Amino acid sequence: VTLHLNPISSVHIHQKPLVFLLNSPLPLVWKLKTERLAPGIRRVFFVSLGSVVRFEKGNFSLSAETEEKRFPEKNEHLLQWAQKEYGAVTSFTELKISRNIYIKVGE
């Protein structure tokens, strides 16, 4: 699955830390494609067990962290866990089948 990350239109270059929970019932290879995300900013990708994140060539991978995690099984429990762990969830998306996911990051 390719995860496309771009800032919202009102933000020229996104310069804030991000945390992603990438959960799947089956192990996946998450391919990251990014545009206009500032290098050197902490970005964390938690993936379900057996999954990996592959970064495009460039500096983005130097400041990104990837960690395998056992997530709660049901989406409601995952959302509650994320809210408890991080205090807020700004976006939650559930897809049954997808090869590309487009996410706008920003304020």
Side-chain angles (χ1 to χ4, degrees), residues 29-53:
V29 174
W30 295 91
K31 298 175 190 169
L32 239 61
K33 294 198 177 232
T34 63
E35 289 183 34
R36 300 182 357 252
L37 300 185
I41 305 293
R42 185 172 185 246
R43 297 181 180 99
V44 182
F45 297 87
F46 291 108
V47 296
S48 47
L49 299 178
S51 293
V52 296
V53 177

Side-chain angles (χ1 to χ4, degrees), residues 6 14 16 42 84 94:
N6 303 306
H14 189 269
K16 293 187 177 180
R42 185 172 185 246
K84 181 180 174 189
E94 176 185 9

Side-chain angles (χ1 to χ4, degrees), residues 7-98:
I8 58 176
S9 60
S10 63
V11 174
H12 182 63
I13 296 182
H14 189 269
Q15 300 188 42
K16 293 187 177 180
L18 295 169
V19 175
F20 289 91
L21 308 178
L22 304 174
N23 189 26
S24 172
L26 299 173
L28 286 179
V29 174
W30 295 91
K31 298 175 190 169
L32 239 61
K33 294 198 177 232
T34 63
E35 289 183 34
R36 300 182 357 252
L37 300 185
I41 305 293
R42 185 172 185 246
R43 297 181 180 99
V44 182
F45 297 87
F46 291 108
V47 296
S48 47
L49 299 178
S51 293
V52 296
V53 177
R54 297 238 169 94
F55 300 96
E56 291 179 296
K57 292 183 172 131
N59 293 335
F60 187 81
S61 63
L62 299 176
S63 59
E65 302 168 34
T66 304
E67 182 182 325
E68 281 187 66
K69 199 144 194 87
R70 183 178 301 279
F71 292 118
E73 287 186 32
K74 295 190 177 191
N75 283 338
E76 314 80 73
H77 298 139
L78 177 60
L79 186 56
Q80 290 169 355
W81 175 84
Q83 288 172 326
K84 181 180 174 189
E85 196 74 17
Y86 297 100
V89 173
T90 56
S91 177
F92 185 91
T93 303
E94 176 185 9
L95 302 167
K96 298 292 183 194
I97 298 174
S98 183

